[in-house]
Amino acid sequence: MQMPEVTTEHQWLLKLVGDWDLRSECVMGPDQPPSVMVGKQRTRALGSLWTLGEMEMPGPDGQIMPSLITLGFDPARGKFVGSFITSCMTFHWLYEGSLDAQQRVLTLDAEGPSFSGDGTMVNYQDIIEVVDDDTYLFSSRLQNPDGTWTRFMHGTHKRCGT
C-alpha cells in the first residue's frame, strides 16, 4: 500500500498540535447564565494525516469531563473529517468541513440531538479559527428552524507557556 500524499490541509491541522490552556463560555438556554469552564487540551499528530485532541474540563459537579476530537482531511471527498466524543454524553459526533479562503477558519458541520431532548436532530457547526501560532478560537453553534444560527459556546485556546 502506498502512503497517501500529505496535503496543505493536513499541514494546516498540525497547527493545532501542542499543549493548550483553554477557557470556554457556554450558554445552555436563553434563561440561563453563561457557564465558564477552564481546562487543558493536548493535541498530538497521528502521523502526518490526523490530529487527536484530548481535553479535560471540570463539569458542573466539579468532576473532570474528558473528551476527544479527531481531525483529518479526506482528499477523495475534498473535505476535512473527524469526530468528537465526551464522557458527559452518549452521542458520537461526526464532522465534515472546509477551510475559508484565507485558510484561517475551519468550519465543521455535524448533525446531532437538539437541546430540547425530544429526539429531533439539528445541524451544528464547530468552528476553529487560528489567530496565531499560540492562539486559536473554538466556537459551537446550532441552526434554528428558521435557518439562522445561534452560538452557544465559545472559547480561547492558548498554547501552554505563552
Side-chain angles (χ1 to χ4, degrees):
M1 181 169 109
Q2 183 178 354
M3 289 295 292
E5 181 180 328
V6 176
T7 67
T8 57
E9 291 86 357
H10 294 116
Q11 292 169 345
W12 187 91
L13 287 171
L14 296 179
K15 295 177 183 186
L16 306 177
V17 171
D19 292 331
W20 304 89
D21 291 318
L22 61 102
R23 182 184 183 282
S24 293
E25 192 170 293
C26 186
V27 177
M28 296 308 288
D31 56 344
Q32 296 181 21
S35 172
V36 175
M37 298 174 288
V38 176
K40 297 214 173 275
Q41 181 167 322
R42 169 168 280 167
T43 302
R44 62 187 174 93
L46 185 64
S48 300
L49 303 175
W50 294 92
T51 61
L52 308 172
E54 297 176 82
M55 182 174 34
E56 290 188 343
M57 297 181 91
D61 62 358
Q63 295 290 330
I64 296 296
M65 297 183 314
S67 63
L68 175 67
I69 184 171
T70 65
L71 293 173
F73 181 76
D74 183 344
R77 290 165 52 191
K79 296 284 185 180
F80 285 84
V81 293
S83 65
F84 177 80
I85 55 173
T86 182
S87 65
C88 64
M89 63 178 67
T90 59
F91 191 77
H92 182 201
W93 297 85
L94 299 177
Y95 291 130
E96 184 176 274
S98 57
L99 276 176
D100 69 340
Q102 293 76 34
Q103 296 193 349
R104 286 188 51 239
V105 180
L106 174 60
T107 301
L108 300 164
D109 297 307
E111 185 180 60
S114 74
F115 287 159
S116 68
D118 64 3
T120 60
M121 300 294 275
V122 298
N123 294 324
Y124 289 86
Q125 289 182 328
D126 282 348
I127 301 166
I128 299 170
E129 179 180 353
V130 173
V131 176
D132 58 40
D133 289 344
D134 297 320
T135 310
Y136 74 88
L137 309 176
F138 190 101
S139 63
S140 298
R141 63 186 190 171
L142 63 88
Q143 191 171 33
N144 301 302
D146 67 0
T148 61
W149 292 89
T150 299
R151 184 174 78 173
F152 60 90
M153 192 278 299
H154 65 94
T156 302
H157 288 65
K158 289 280 200 184
R159 195 175 297 279
C160 291
T162 60

